[in-house]
Every structure is written in structure tokens, then in C-alpha cells.
Amino acid sequence: MKHPKSVGRFISCVYRDFHKYMHIQLQEFNLGSGQFHFLMMLYRKDGVNQETLAEKLNIDKATCARAIKKLEQQGFVTRKRDDQDRRSYKVYLTEKAKKLKPKIKSILHNWTDVLLKDISKEEEKQLYSLLEKITRNATEHHERR
């Protein structure tokens, strides 16, 4: 079926603009636009092992390990051996990262405000519903392959 517009192109544009926005907003904290995803995961559940982080963020283990190492060097996280699996490390937020949480949340809320400018509450509900379906379709497609 031929589509007049590309959904992927629009999503890609928003994604790139989001990372530009985050790069600018996070500079003062010496955080990269890719690093904050790890902090957000840890804000939801602290003390997760690196493998779980990689899986949840849908990235390979090597990329995850490099990002965690950089966050550790910057003082945002610490790694501790997992008592249940001595080969694995659990990642924990430091006080420095915990203090940053309200600021990061505020930055994200501001980005959402930018995106939803001039969108009615009904359109917003519809948008979220459609995005959830698109995400589910993409995930199911990926998992089948």
C-alpha cells in the first residue's frame, strides 16, 4: 500500500530535535543526550543490572557498558557486584544524580509542552493512543524478526 506521507520520517525528525534539545539543556550538567535515558531508567528503579538496562533501553551490552562507565566517571552512578550473580553488576544512582532528577523531569515536561503546543486535550488523547499503537506495532514487528 502506498502512503502519501512517511510516519517514520516525522518520528525521526521529532527524535532528532528532541536530542538536540536535550543536548543543549543537559550541557550545564555535563550530561549527553544519550546518557539521561539511563538516569531515567534508574529513577524508575534503582539498582538494576547492566543487562536489564541494555534490554529495557533496547541497546547492545557494549554500548550500555560504555555509557554506564562514563556516568560512573562523572559521579552520577556507582556499580556494585550483584550478590546473586557475581558476574553481573547492579547500577545505582549517586546523590548527585538524585539531586538532578527534578531538573531533568522539568526539562522533559518543557519538551512535552513544546510538542503539544496548539494541540487540544482530545487531540492529545488521540495522539497518545496512536503512538502507543505505533510503538506496539514496531515492537511486535521487531520481535517477530
Side-chain angles (χ1 to χ4, degrees):
M1 173 191 265
K2 192 152 174 99
H3 299 282
K5 296 181 181 181
S6 169
V7 173
R9 186 177 142 272
F10 287 114
I11 291 170
S12 180
C13 287
V14 172
Y15 177 81
R16 286 192 309 272
D17 285 339
F18 170 68
H19 276 271
K20 288 180 208 171
Y21 170 83
M22 292 304 288
H23 174 76
I24 291 166
Q25 297 298 315
L26 296 173
Q27 273 182 330
E28 68 179 283
F29 309 110
N30 200 26
L31 271 174
S33 61
Q35 293 173 305
F36 92 95
H37 293 291
F38 292 89
L39 295 180
M40 293 305 296
M41 287 292 303
L42 293 168
Y43 289 145
R44 286 186 206 107
K45 186 170 189 325
D46 202 7
V48 176
N49 69 33
Q50 285 183 211
E51 191 170 319
T52 301
L53 282 171
E55 184 181 297
K56 295 283 186 190
L57 292 171
N58 201 22
I59 58 172
D60 63 85
K61 292 176 187 178
T63 300
C64 182
R66 284 191 300 274
I68 295 300
K69 183 177 182 180
K70 187 169 183 181
L71 285 168
E72 189 174 30
Q73 290 169 341
Q74 294 171 301
F76 291 108
V77 300
T78 58
R79 293 181 318 139
K80 296 179 183 163
R81 282 234 185 255
D82 187 339
D83 291 335
Q84 314 307 324
D85 180 357
R86 301 298 294 161
R87 299 167 296 161
S88 179
Y89 285 93
K90 288 193 173 186
V91 183
Y92 295 90
L93 295 164
T94 62
E95 281 306 309
K96 178 180 178 179
K98 289 175 184 176
K99 287 179 183 173
L100 194 56
K101 182 180 178 180
K103 182 63 177 168
I104 289 178
K105 291 272 195 179
S106 174
I107 290 168
L108 291 171
H109 286 295
N110 290 340
W111 177 246
T112 300
D113 289 344
V114 167
L115 294 179
L116 297 179
K117 182 183 142 221
D118 300 328
I119 294 194
S120 71
K121 289 295 176 193
E122 186 58 38
E123 288 171 323
E124 183 180 338
K125 272 178 54 177
Q126 192 175 24
L127 173 65
Y128 282 120
S129 175
L130 293 170
L131 288 171
E132 286 171 1
K133 286 179 185 179
I134 288 170
T135 301
R136 187 172 50 250
N137 290 343
T139 301
E140 287 172 0
H141 176 76
H142 179 70
E143 287 173 351
R144 280 194 305 269
R145 300 191 133 227

